[in-house]
Amino acid sequence: MYRYNEPDVQSVSRATSPRERERLAAASSPIEETLDPADWESFRAAAHHMLDVMIDFQRDVREQPVWRPVPDVVEARYREHAPHAGAGLDAAIADFETMVLPYPTGTPHPRFWGWAGGTGSPTGMLADLLASGMNALQGNFNDAAARVEAQALDWMKEAFEYPRAAGGIVVSGGSVANFVGLAVARDSSVDYDVGTDGVGAAAGRLVLYASTEVHSSVFKAAKLLGLGRNAVHLINVDAAYRLQIPELIARIEQDRRDGLRPFAIVGTAGTINTGSIDDLEALADLAAAEGLWFHVDGAIGAMAALSPETRDLVRGMNRADSLAFDFHKWMYVNYEAGCVIIRDADALRRTFAAGGDYITPLPRGPGSLLDAAVGRGPQQSSAFKALKVWLTLKEHGFDKFGRLVAQNVAQARYLAARLDASTVLERVAPVALNVVAFRARVPGASGAAADEVNRELLMRLQESGTAVPSGTVLNGQFVLRTCICNHRTRRADLDALVEAAETEARALMSD
Ligand SMILES: *Cc1c(COP(=O)(O)O)cnc(C)c1O
């Protein structure tokens, strides 16, 4: 066996001067580089400068346009070739300040209500710095990050009335959370090992159910799970955009008669288009009666459970076999952070158990938890996303988040009332939660012409920097919608939206 021969440090140091040793070391070893700064004090100064810049950015965000386009001169710089020699930290930071920071999506702004964008928070920003500074891997190792994630999961189980023993994982967002939930649903629905033999071995095509308002990530999940998009059988909604249960019951019966294999029902708590909430209690009853997995996509609306004022809206959510939700939407956690809770922790493990000699846990040491983490989701290495959830919850407490959720719901109702009083704009859907859909009235215009006016109205609002709603189609009509996952919004901001939209709409119609 080869034995490394320990050098005799004593004799070497006696035999040579320090300078001679340095010369010998330099001659015998290659240049060894590092990414550490040559001078930690100038790094410290640059870092403090950036922290100040970002604190000012947060504090003064209201004074900025919500969004502004990237100008051509800046755009051109994004076509520069790859740097082979570095320009140094100061130059790189200067580029960030001129090329990146002035052109945000706009989510931190009090008048950003597009899609389901969440505001983030100053503490969330800090938490990402801390997590990144530790360069911690979430959940995979026997370390503090695993404890933080587990505790954050426990707190969410408590908030959503799930048993402590339930499984779960903090993931990148609602899409992955839906994917994980439906993967476990699929694997739990057949009596063989899907992971080994694939979906093709199932007797009868696996199908699941959701309303026509379901989020596209459920289709994506169906595709990735080998079920195919057409495996998502869509059930019509009622006038309040909620899944029609009698139609669902009939469809399940029909599918069974046709030799298909129903395995899951997806209920949505807070649809992306209108914020509608399916009758989760009734869906839970039906899933139980039919022996189907019940998954809830609560990406937006799960947080309604945090306030006593809105909790009843999501009654039945705690009966789901799997619940997907986003921290980065209505819990205002900085991107990205989502979560899925799976009632049966073993079922989650069965789906994602990976194995491999390189992750076989030892009884002690940093690797002693390895399989536990790798066995909970599709990722192996994962950023320490739970820290920002944990830190902001410690700072503010659940009650504060509940109050903010209720505040956003009250603001949505306020906006609805303002729209209902407008002669220029009209609200086009009931307001169940924090989403308000509306459009400009375009008297006498065809559907296509009215849609064109509303598309133009939306773009003008966004480009003016006043507000960022987003668009969608309801009942075949293009509409604008605001989704208020925003702790900075004040009622005056909604007044500003209505006034700007009325002014632009009038201008458009006189064009
Ligand atoms: C946003 C959203 C998703 C997807 O979540 P991401 O965090 O964007 O991946 C899924 N379902 C609904 C209802 C959503 O609003």
Side-chain angles (χ1 to χ4, degrees):
M1 195 174 93
Y2 175 73
R3 276 194 62 124
Y4 176 61
N5 203 355
E6 293 269 355
D8 180 352
V9 179
Q10 291 297 317
S11 66
V12 170
S13 57
R14 251 184 274 115
T16 53
S17 72
R19 181 165 308 153
E20 180 65 2
R21 261 182 285 140
E22 232 167 69
R23 196 191 61 78
L24 284 171
S28 65
S29 62
I31 297 165
E32 290 169 310
E33 291 200 290
T34 168
L35 295 175
D36 280 341
D39 170 15
W40 282 97
E41 289 315 308
S42 50
F43 177 80
R44 188 190 305 281
H48 284 180
H49 164 72
M50 279 326 295
L51 196 55
D52 281 337
V53 166
M54 293 316 297
I55 290 170
D56 290 349
F57 176 84
Q58 299 269 330
R59 185 193 59 191
D60 304 334
V61 65
R62 177 178 281 285
E63 318 311 325
Q64 296 293 316
V66 188
W67 178 84
R68 58 161 81 87
V70 179
D72 290 345
V73 281
V74 175
E75 197 82 80
R77 295 222 40 213
Y78 282 110
R79 291 190 290 272
E80 287 170 0
H81 288 292
H84 285 285
L89 181 59
D90 289 344
I93 285 178
D95 281 352
F96 169 78
E97 288 187 58
T98 53
M99 296 171 65
V100 184
L101 190 57
Y103 312 106
T105 322
T107 52
H109 199 283
R111 291 191 299 279
F112 187 98
W113 305 299
W115 303 278
T119 330
S121 76
T123 300
M125 169 180 83
L126 266 189
D128 267 345
L129 175 66
L130 307 181
S132 183
M134 291 178 75
N135 198 28
L137 286 160
Q138 175 182 276
N140 284 10
F141 289 94
N142 185 353
D143 61 3
R147 271 76 179 176
V148 168
E149 191 204 6
Q151 190 166 33
L153 283 168
D154 282 346
W155 291 345
M156 297 318 295
K157 290 178 218 163
E158 218 173 292
F160 293 150
E161 297 174 359
Y162 270 77
R164 263 265 152 142
I169 184 168
V170 173
V171 293
S172 55
S175 301
V176 172
N178 279 333
F179 170 79
V180 170
L182 291 174
V184 182
R186 179 199 65 178
D187 294 3
S188 303
S189 67
V190 292
D191 44 19
Y192 69 93
D193 183 353
V194 180
T196 304
D197 293 319
V199 282
R205 180 164 187 198
L206 292 165
V207 293
L208 68 158
Y209 304 88
S211 89
T212 49
E213 291 295 302
V214 72
H215 189 268
S216 63
S217 57
V218 168
F219 296 124
K220 252 191 216 178
K223 288 187 205 175
L224 292 173
L225 290 168
L227 305 168
R229 185 192 159 113
N230 288 342
V232 186
H233 286 190
L234 295 178
I235 308 300
N236 287 306
V237 290
D238 60 20
Y241 295 92
R242 293 157 25 125
L243 185 148
Q244 295 195 30
I245 307 235
E247 185 183 320
L248 171 58
I249 294 170
R251 187 73 196 267
I252 293 170
E253 278 171 18
Q254 181 63 47
D255 285 348
R256 286 205 163 118
R257 279 199 298 274
D258 292 347
L260 302 180
R261 190 155 176 166
F263 78 97
I265 297 173
V266 177
T268 303
T271 58
I272 186 74
N273 279 339
T274 69
S276 63
I277 302 164
D278 289 334
D279 185 341
L280 304 178
E281 200 81 78
L283 290 180
D285 286 342
L286 181 62
E290 295 284 344
L292 303 178
W293 185 277
F294 182 35
H295 175 80
V296 169
D297 178 359
I300 303 175
M303 296 307 164
L306 302 187
S307 166
E309 287 172 46
T310 49
R311 190 168 294 153
D312 258 8
L313 295 171
V314 291
R315 216 173 337 109
M317 189 172 80
N318 62 340
R319 293 174 60 195
D321 297 298
S322 50
L323 168 63
F325 56 94
D326 264 320
F327 292 116
H328 58 214
K329 287 176 177 170
W330 216 6
M331 235 178 85
Y332 323 103
V333 169
N334 305 51
Y335 288 102
E336 50 186 42
C339 191
V340 59
I341 295 174
I342 310 276
R343 180 174 302 281
D344 179 354
D346 287 336
L348 175 63
R349 175 178 296 265
R350 278 196 299 276
T351 291
F352 289 101
D357 294 338
Y358 41 87
I359 56 164
T360 302
L362 294 174
R364 300 189 315 279
S368 52
L369 291 181
L370 264 171
D371 69 330
V374 175
R376 285 185 297 132
Q379 278 182 272
Q380 179 156 312
S381 305
S382 170
F384 188 11
K385 297 178 286 290
L387 184 64
K388 48 200 168 188
V389 177
W390 189 83
L391 211 68
T392 44
L393 275 170
K394 276 193 178 263
E395 179 189 14
H396 296 294
F398 270 103
D399 293 352
K400 175 78 168 270
F401 287 98
R403 291 198 298 276
L404 287 169
V405 163
Q407 175 173 301
N408 286 163
V409 172
Q411 288 166 338
R413 290 179 186 155
Y414 173 80
L415 174 59
R418 289 250 11 203
L419 291 163
D420 291 346
S422 172
T423 52
V424 182
L425 308 169
E426 62 178 341
R427 179 168 60 89
V428 294
V431 173
L433 214 53
N434 59 340
V435 180
V436 183
F438 64 96
R439 70 196 314 249
R441 303 166 190 264
V442 193
S446 71
D451 281 358
E452 203 40 53
V453 166
N454 276 284
R455 263 194 291 272
E456 185 61 29
L457 170 62
L458 173 60
M459 290 185 286
R460 287 193 186 181
L461 284 171
Q462 293 175 341
E463 285 174 335
S464 69
T466 310
V468 171
S470 59
T472 191
V473 172
L474 289 178
N475 291 323
Q477 291 187 320
F478 184 85
V479 305
L480 291 77
R481 57 179 280 294
T482 59
C483 176
I484 314 175
C485 297
N486 195 317
H487 61 84
R488 294 199 171 110
T489 298
R490 300 284 167 263
R491 287 186 184 208
D493 294 310
L494 299 164
D495 292 334
L497 168 69
V498 171
E499 279 146 33
E502 284 180 339
T503 306
E504 287 290 359
R506 281 202 193 93
L508 266 166
M509 278 178 283
S510 64
D511 276 358

